[in-house]
Amino acid sequence: FQQQIQYFTHSIMPLFTPCSFLREKQKQHCERTMLFFLLQASMIRPLNEGGKLKLASDMTQIEFSMTPLSTFKDITLSYPITTPPIPTIIPTHTLTPTTIITTLSHQWQSLRSLLFIEDSLLLTCSEIESLLPIYVLHHIFGRMPSDLSYPFQTGTVDYVKYSMWVLAMTQQEVAALFANQLRVYQQMVTKRGDKMYPDVYPV
């Protein structure tokens, strides 16, 4: 992946004349690619200590490789919480926010830090608050036993289509999707007659 990035930046980009339109397209390409990567990284399971170190190292190198296209701190992300309401005459300061505004750099750093947080500290760590819910939920599910499936594993949607689909969802829709997975898991545990849930389950 990094070799492909380097080839693109060093062999393809010099063919174009620098301009504001090109810079905007570079930023959009960087945003789409890295959001997709963050989702894939948050879904890796199981992830042992060696895997965490390798992933964190890869993330550092990828960020460096993408710099010629766009720096992560310059990419602002707007993530929908709910479907925007129909405009009304209510003053804007009384409306509930419908989006989360953050930066790609902040999301990148938060996930990289979250990799090394112990299960017992997840509820109190700042990374849980700052990372977008779509990445938090996938990462926490990755810490659970494999019989708690990701949504795409219980449906007919393949991995790639699922990734594109879930990235287009609002926070509210993602939460509902994962709540359904938890209900299925609870039913499975009850049916087995188990009395204990994994330590990370309350999160």
Side-chain angles (χ1 to χ4, degrees), residues 1-12 29 66:
F1 180 65
Q2 294 176 47
Q3 290 178 342
Q4 291 177 330
I5 294 174
Q6 291 172 354
Y7 175 78
F8 182 79
T9 55
H10 295 120
S11 300
I12 303 299
H29 174 71
M66 292 296 285

Side-chain angles (χ1 to χ4, degrees), residues 104-121:
L104 178 57
S105 177
H106 190 57
Q107 295 302 296
W108 202 258
Q109 294 170 8
S110 295
L111 180 60
R112 190 162 47 198
S113 298
L114 185 61
L115 296 175
F116 301 97
I117 302 294
E118 296 292 334
D119 291 350
S120 59
L121 301 177

Side-chain angles (χ1 to χ4, degrees), residues 29-141:
H29 174 71
C30 180
E31 178 182 341
R32 286 196 302 269
T33 304
M34 293 303 97
L35 289 180
F36 195 83
F37 178 88
L38 281 173
L39 180 60
Q40 312 314 306
S42 67
M43 293 172 65
I44 296 176
R45 75 191 309 184
L47 190 61
N48 58 27
E49 292 304 314
K52 294 176 185 177
L53 291 171
K54 179 65 167 61
L55 179 56
S57 175
D58 286 347
M59 291 178 72
T60 299
Q61 294 181 42
I62 288 172
E63 183 175 5
F64 178 76
S65 298
M66 292 296 285
T67 299
L69 290 178
S70 183
T71 55
F72 286 12
K73 64 181 178 62
D74 293 333
I75 298 179
T76 301
L77 306 176
S78 179
Y79 182 73
I81 301 174
T82 60
T83 302
I86 298 174
T88 68
I89 59 173
I90 302 175
T92 55
H93 68 272
T94 66
L95 295 176
T96 302
T98 58
T99 57
I100 299 173
I101 305 299
T102 182
T103 64
L104 178 57
S105 177
H106 190 57
Q107 295 302 296
W108 202 258
Q109 294 170 8
S110 295
L111 180 60
R112 190 162 47 198
S113 298
L114 185 61
L115 296 175
F116 301 97
I117 302 294
E118 296 292 334
D119 291 350
S120 59
L121 301 177
L122 284 175
L123 280 173
T124 58
C125 72
S126 59
E127 288 79 3
I128 288 289
E129 297 294 329
S130 58
L131 194 61
L132 291 177
I134 186 173
Y135 303 127
V136 172
L137 289 169
H138 281 91
H139 177 73
I140 291 178
F141 263 53

